[in-house]
Amino acid sequence: MKKLALTTAALALLAGAASAQDVVRMGTEGAYPPWNFLNDDGEVDGFERELGDELCARAELTCEWVTNDWDSIIPNLVSGNYDTIIAGMSITAEREEVIDFTQGYTPPDPSSYLALSSDLDVSDAVITAQTGTIQAAFVAEQGWTLVEFATPEETISAVRNGEADAVLADKSFLDGALESNPDLVMLDRMEQIGGGVGMGLRESDTELLETFDAAIQSMKDDGSLNALIEKWEVASTF
């Protein structure tokens, strides 16, 4: 109880400090369900939309949602086209050379393979992954044959069209893809890559980062973050 009270007090102080920037542009991809996607009304939806809105509410900030292609999502943050990245982005040392991250709002999500055949040897296969992801980096590090595509949908199509033998991506994304592609199979093999998922911010925005850090911690402390993770089935809980 004392820990929760202290966190709440810190959050209130930080929200006051951030009041000068009460509108925050939240950058996401809008193409990676259930993390983030565009619904039938063309609006950003999913786990990170609900999470981001709640974090902004706790910090007394107003969210404005912006979508951006994944392959330029970090450069456009740095250029000032939006204020945060909240797009299923894993915290890695390479990315931390360019931007800063809040604490993780999910633990690492296992990466899985979706293929046409259950007996596939991934080490001797053509593996596709989305450009600029931890999965693409992992395949390259193994020395396997990698084919990259700009969007998640293109990686699934590459397997279906025979351009690749399997796709490597977050298991939570591939679970949904499997439902709409019943001819594909999920391999038993999984990879544990990355250090959890956090919000990315410009290195100069330390005050805003502290504000969101406190909001994330408050959701961890009261159990609402775990409840949201379970609702959207994006990762394991804390």
Side-chain angles (χ1 to χ4, degrees), residues 101-235:
F101 283 94
T102 63
Q103 62 177 297
Y105 52 77
T106 75
D109 185 26
S111 296
S112 296
Y113 299 89
L114 205 58
L116 284 170
S117 172
S118 60
D119 60 0
L120 181 70
D121 179 0
V122 296
S123 65
D124 191 34
V126 177
I127 308 298
T128 182
Q130 187 178 12
T131 302
T133 61
I134 56 173
Q135 290 84 11
F138 174 82
V139 174
E141 287 166 4
Q142 308 313 303
W144 302 343
T145 304
L146 170 67
V147 178
E148 297 180 76
F149 290 92
T151 67
E153 291 81 3
E154 288 175 296
T155 63
I156 302 297
S157 296
V159 178
R160 292 182 54 85
N161 298 336
E163 298 176 73
D165 299 306
V167 53
L168 179 63
D170 291 330
K171 184 178 184 300
S172 55
F173 167 70
L174 293 182
D175 282 338
L178 183 59
E179 291 181 7
S180 54
N181 294 275
D183 53 327
L184 302 183
V185 294
M186 190 84 75
L187 302 187
D188 290 335
R189 174 169 179 162
M190 291 191 292
E191 314 292 354
Q192 199 69 43
I193 315 170
V197 174
M199 292 179 68
L201 292 94
R202 287 181 291 273
E203 292 179 335
S204 58
D205 286 340
T206 54
E207 197 170 273
L208 186 60
L209 185 146
E210 291 171 356
T211 298
F212 279 119
D213 244 349
I216 292 168
Q217 188 61 55
S218 73
M219 291 188 68
K220 287 181 178 180
D221 290 340
D222 66 17
S224 58
L225 184 52
N226 277 343
L228 208 56
I229 290 171
E230 290 177 340
K231 172 184 175 180
W232 288 98
E233 298 179 345
V234 291

